[in-house]
């Protein structure tokens, strides 16, 4: 089975901190995604990557950056955390070229105080 | 504006009963529609994906239907079990720009 692992289930940080969310997949998938999920809004795409060192902005990239130095790892970076970035963050991966996430991690619930 | 609307927002049914969840969309042109199940505290898991030419697709006790003319999909759950308690999310992909539009989900609770 494909496994997408997010390093933290719960994370609490302070306003202004630089925050790193890590995601690792074990199936050699080309594509990786970062979403945030908020009540009443559905999932929203922050960034995605279709290859090592490649990245594309999603629908809400402001305040975030990403890093993909190795194929299996995709990191989401909050440059200067703000309270409106409190959310559930979901990482996903896929092997095909459809641009659709196939396998999700279990999420990181991030609270910014 | 491309939208995906799901109904009802929440649903409570008795174990063993059937239920149907709805997904209406305005995304155009249409590429495909996917249903996910998301257990509390877990990531979404894909149940089924439907393309333009498919009307019905089953995955165990889950049956999805698609009417591309009316832009409607439904997810029917037969003989519900306690483990079916979850949020069900409908996602529609737009043809051409690969963009996905997510619904906000239906929260289903099965009670014994």
């Amino acid at each position: 089975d494909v496994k997408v692992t997010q390093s933290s289930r719960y994370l609490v940080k302070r306003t202004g901190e630089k925050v790193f969310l890590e995601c690792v997949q074990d199936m050699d998938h080309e594509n990786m995604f970062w979403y945030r999920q908020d009540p009443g809004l559905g999932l929203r795409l922050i960034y995605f990557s279709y290859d090592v060192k490649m990245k594309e902005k999603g629908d809400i990239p402001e305040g975030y950056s990403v890093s993909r130095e190795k194929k299996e790892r995709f990191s989401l970076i909050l440059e200067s955390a703000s309270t409106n970035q409190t959310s559930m963050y979901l990482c996903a991966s896929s092997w095909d070229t459809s641009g659709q996430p196939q396998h999700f991690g279990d999420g990181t619930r991030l609270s910014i105080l | 504006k491309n939208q995906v609307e799901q109904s009802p927002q929440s649903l409570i049914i008795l174990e063993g009963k059937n239920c149907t969840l709805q997904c209406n969309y305005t995304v155009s042109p249409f590429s495909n529609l996917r249903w996910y199940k998301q257990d509390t505290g877990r990531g979404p898991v894909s149940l089924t994906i439907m393309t333009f030419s498919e009307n019905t697709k089953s995955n165990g006790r889950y049956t999805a239907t698609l009417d591309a003319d009316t832009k409607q999909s439904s997810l029917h759950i037969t003989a519900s079990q306690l483990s079916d308690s979850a949020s069900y999310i409908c996602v529609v992909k737009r043809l051409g720009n690969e963009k996905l539009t997510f619904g906000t989900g239906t929260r289903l609770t099965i009670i014994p």
Side-chain angles (χ1 to χ4, degrees):
Chain A
D1 274 356
V2 174
K3 194 162 181 62
V4 177
T5 303
Q6 296 184 230
S7 55
S8 304
R9 292 299 302 274
Y10 301 94
L11 207 53
V12 180
K13 296 291 183 180
R14 295 202 176 277
T15 302
E17 280 192 72
K18 190 170 187 175
V19 181
F20 293 85
L21 302 184
E22 306 288 347
C23 175
V24 176
Q25 50 96 1
D26 65 358
M27 282 301 291
D28 203 37
H29 284 177
E30 302 290 338
N31 307 304
M32 296 188 74
F33 309 81
W34 274 106
Y35 289 89
R36 64 178 282 177
Q37 185 175 32
D38 301 289
L41 292 179
L43 274 75
R44 292 180 290 168
L45 180 64
I46 304 171
Y47 268 95
F48 67 98
S49 169
Y50 52 87
D51 202 352
V52 176
K53 296 192 185 296
M54 306 300 287
K55 60 185 179 184
E56 294 284 344
K57 292 180 179 179
D59 298 320
I60 52 165
E62 296 78 18
Y64 303 95
S65 63
V66 290
S67 172
R68 191 151 181 217
E69 296 297 319
K70 294 184 178 182
K71 193 173 188 179
E72 68 270 19
R73 186 179 298 271
F74 192 35
S75 303
L76 179 69
I77 304 157
L78 285 66
E79 298 292 342
S80 177
S82 63
T83 55
N84 63 11
Q85 292 179 309
T86 291
S87 186
M88 170 69 87
Y89 289 87
L90 289 163
C91 176
S93 71
S94 71
W95 57 266
D96 66 18
T97 58
S98 72
Q100 295 186 79
Q102 292 171 304
H103 303 278
F104 281 87
D106 284 336
T108 295
R109 186 164 292 283
L110 175 65
S111 296
I112 307 297
L113 305 180
Chain B
K1 182 181 177 183
N2 291 317
Q3 289 185 313
V4 175
E5 302 283 346
Q6 292 188 244
S7 62
Q9 274 191 318
S10 62
L11 182 62
I12 302 173
I13 64 170
L14 288 172
E15 185 181 10
K17 299 295 186 183
N18 303 334
C19 67
T20 300
L21 313 181
Q22 296 289 344
C23 175
N24 297 340
Y25 62 92
T26 60
V27 175
S28 183
F30 173 85
S31 177
N32 64 51
L33 182 149
R34 192 189 290 257
W35 284 95
Y36 288 94
K37 177 188 178 190
Q38 185 175 21
D39 293 318
T40 300
R42 307 298 298 273
V45 174
S46 180
L47 291 175
T48 183
I49 183 170
M50 303 188 73
T51 59
F52 185 87
S53 59
E54 295 173 306
N55 298 118
T56 303
K57 185 176 279 189
S58 292
N59 178 0
R61 294 180 296 102
Y62 300 101
T63 300
T65 66
L66 175 66
D67 186 333
D69 291 331
T70 62
K71 295 184 169 56
Q72 295 179 324
S73 177
S74 65
L75 181 69
H76 185 75
I77 304 174
T78 304
S80 61
Q81 300 176 359
L82 296 178
S83 59
D84 293 330
S85 293
S87 289
Y88 292 84
I89 301 170
C90 173
V91 185
V92 180
K93 181 184 172 187
R94 188 175 185 272
L95 185 68
N97 67 2
E98 313 298 310
K99 183 174 173 60
L100 299 179
T101 302
F102 286 79
T104 56
T106 292
R107 176 71 204 173
L108 176 64
T109 303
I110 311 298
I111 57 175

